[in-house]
C-alpha cells in the first residue's frame, strides 16, 4: 500500500482523491456479502469502487452498479474500474441515492455506510460526506433498498457494533429482517467493534457467527485468511 493506492491480487485501488481510503471494513464486506448467484448488484456509496470490484471478481456473471454522490470519488472509482479486468460489468453512477431510479431491481444491495451519526463533524467537507450519516443515513438506505430489491434479494452491510440496535430497528421499519449476522473482533480479548449483517424480506431465525481477525499482531486467524485470501497479496 502507498498513500495513493492499494494493490490487490487482481486489481489496484487508487484512493488519493477519495476521503475514505481502503480499509478492513470495505474488504470484509466485499469478501463476505452473498454475491453467488446474483445477476444484478448495487453498491451504495461506493467511494473508491473497492467493494464493487471485489464482487465483480467473486461473481463472473454479475452486472454491478456502483453509485456515489461525491463527484471526485465517483471519478476515481470510475478510473479504478477502467483499470480493472471487469470494465464491461461494473458501471459507476454519480448520483444521490435518493434520486436513483434504475430500470430493474437488484438481487444484492451492499453498502459500507457512513457511521459517525452523532459525532462532531470534521472541517473537511468531502471527508464528512464519506464518514457522517447526513447524506446516507440508515433510514434512507433501507427505505430505498426496500423499493429497489427483488423479492428474494439481500441487503448486506457492515456497521459499528454500537449502531446495531438502531440499524436492525430501522430495517424492521421497512420490512427488512436480519438473515445472517457476524460479530467481528480484531483480537480474541477485544470487544466486538464491527458487525456484518444481511437483511431480507423473510422473517426467520438469523444465522449467528463470530469472526476474529488476528490471534496476535500480524498473525491472522485461519477464518480471516480464508475469507480474504483471494484479495490480499500476502495472504
Amino acid at each position: 500500500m502507498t498513500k495513493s493506492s492499494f494493490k490487490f491480487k487482481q486489481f489496484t485501488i487508487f484512493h488519493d482523491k477519495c476521503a475514505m481510503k481502503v480499509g478492513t471494513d470495505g474488504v470484509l464486506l466485499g469478501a463476505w456479502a452473498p454475491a453467488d448467484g446474483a445477476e444484478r448488484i448495487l453498491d451504495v456509496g461506493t467511494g473508491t469502487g473497492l467493494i464493487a470490484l471485489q464482487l465483480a471478481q467473486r461473481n463472473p456473471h454479475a452486472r454491478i452498479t456502483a453509485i456515489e454522490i461525491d463527484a471526485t470519488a465517483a471519478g476515481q472509482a470510475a478510473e479504478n474500474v477502467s483499470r480493472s479486468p471487469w470494465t464491461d460489468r461494473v458501471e459507476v453512477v454519480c448520483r444521490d441515492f435518493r434520486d436513483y431510479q434504475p430500470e430493474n431491481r437488484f438481487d444484492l444491495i451492499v453498502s459500507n455506510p457512513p457511521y459517525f451519526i452523532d459525532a462532531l463533524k470534521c472541517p473537511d467537507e468531502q471527508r464528512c460526506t464519506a464518514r457522517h450519516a447526513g447524506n446516507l443515513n440508515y433510514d434512507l438506505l433501507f427505505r430505498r433498498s426496500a423499493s429497489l430489491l427483488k423479492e428474494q434479494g439481500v441487503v448486506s452491510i457492515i456497521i459499528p457494533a454500537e449502531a446495531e440496535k438502531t440499524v436492525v430497528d430501522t430495517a424492521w421499519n421497512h420490512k427488512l429482517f436480519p438473515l445472517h449476522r457476524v460479530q467481528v473482533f480484531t483480537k480474541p480479548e477485544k470487544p466486538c467493534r464491527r458487525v456484518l449483517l444481511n437483511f431480507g424480506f423473510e422473517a426467520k431465525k438469523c444465522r449467528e457467527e463470530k469472526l476474529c481477525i488476528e490471534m496476535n499482531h500480524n498473525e491472522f486467524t485461519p477464518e480471516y485468511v480464508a475469507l480474504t485470501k483471494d484479495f490480499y497479496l500476502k495472504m
Side-chain angles (χ1 to χ4, degrees):
M1 178 177 177
T2 69
K3 288 185 177 181
S4 63
S5 67
F6 194 110
K7 185 171 179 57
F8 292 92
K9 285 182 177 175
Q10 295 192 39
F11 59 92
T12 297
I13 294 292
F14 289 85
H15 54 194
D16 54 298
K17 300 175 185 175
C18 293
M20 297 306 295
K21 312 305 181 187
V22 170
T24 302
D25 287 7
V27 176
L28 275 172
L29 182 60
W32 179 80
D36 291 349
E39 295 179 359
R40 300 191 73 246
I41 298 173
L42 176 65
D43 177 15
V44 180
T46 194
T48 63
L50 167 64
I51 295 171
L53 290 176
Q54 285 183 270
L55 296 173
Q57 177 181 323
R58 290 177 54 204
N59 183 336
H61 306 294
R63 301 199 69 83
I64 300 161
T65 302
I67 188 168
E68 171 58 51
I69 192 173
D70 181 80
T72 303
Q76 183 144 66
E79 291 172 4
N80 288 330
V81 169
S82 71
R83 297 185 182 99
S84 80
W86 310 292
T87 55
D88 59 329
R89 294 193 292 111
V90 182
E91 178 189 16
V92 177
V93 175
C94 183
R95 190 166 300 169
D96 191 325
F97 190 41
R98 293 176 178 84
D99 306 323
Y100 181 54
Q101 298 291 342
E103 293 183 4
N104 300 295
R105 296 191 177 196
F106 295 92
D107 303 286
L108 174 64
I109 297 175
V110 298
S111 186
N112 177 13
Y115 48 85
F116 289 131
I117 298 176
D118 299 317
L120 182 67
K121 290 199 173 185
C122 55
D124 184 324
E125 183 177 349
Q126 186 191 32
R127 191 167 176 81
C128 277
T129 299
R131 291 172 69 107
H132 289 268
N135 292 287
L136 176 59
N137 57 48
Y138 297 127
D139 184 73
L140 171 63
L141 176 63
F142 288 115
R143 174 167 46 84
R144 294 290 290 123
S145 293
S147 68
L148 298 176
L149 202 62
K150 291 182 181 178
E151 185 177 349
Q152 299 300 318
V154 172
V155 178
S156 191
I157 65 174
I158 185 167
I159 57 168
E162 61 269 22
E164 184 176 5
K165 185 181 187 305
T166 298
V167 169
V168 172
D169 289 348
T170 304
W172 188 89
N173 288 337
H174 298 286
K175 303 298 187 291
L176 287 162
F177 307 100
L179 306 174
H180 189 184
R181 172 179 181 257
V182 178
Q183 291 181 292
V184 180
F185 301 82
T186 53
K187 292 182 181 179
E189 70 277 8
K190 299 288 186 180
C192 173
R193 304 304 292 269
R194 294 286 185 267
V195 181
L196 290 156
L197 283 163
N198 287 338
F199 294 88
F201 292 117
E202 183 180 359
K204 60 181 182 180
K205 185 176 180 180
C206 180
R207 179 182 171 191
E208 301 274 354
E209 291 184 282
K210 294 181 180 180
L211 173 68
C212 187
I213 294 176
E214 288 184 331
M215 295 302 296
N216 300 296
H217 182 63
N218 287 335
E219 182 185 346
F220 298 110
T221 64
E223 294 79 13
Y224 182 70
V225 171
L227 183 63
T228 61
K229 63 181 174 60
D230 289 341
F231 302 103
Y232 285 128
L233 286 174
K234 297 183 179 180
M235 286 292 191

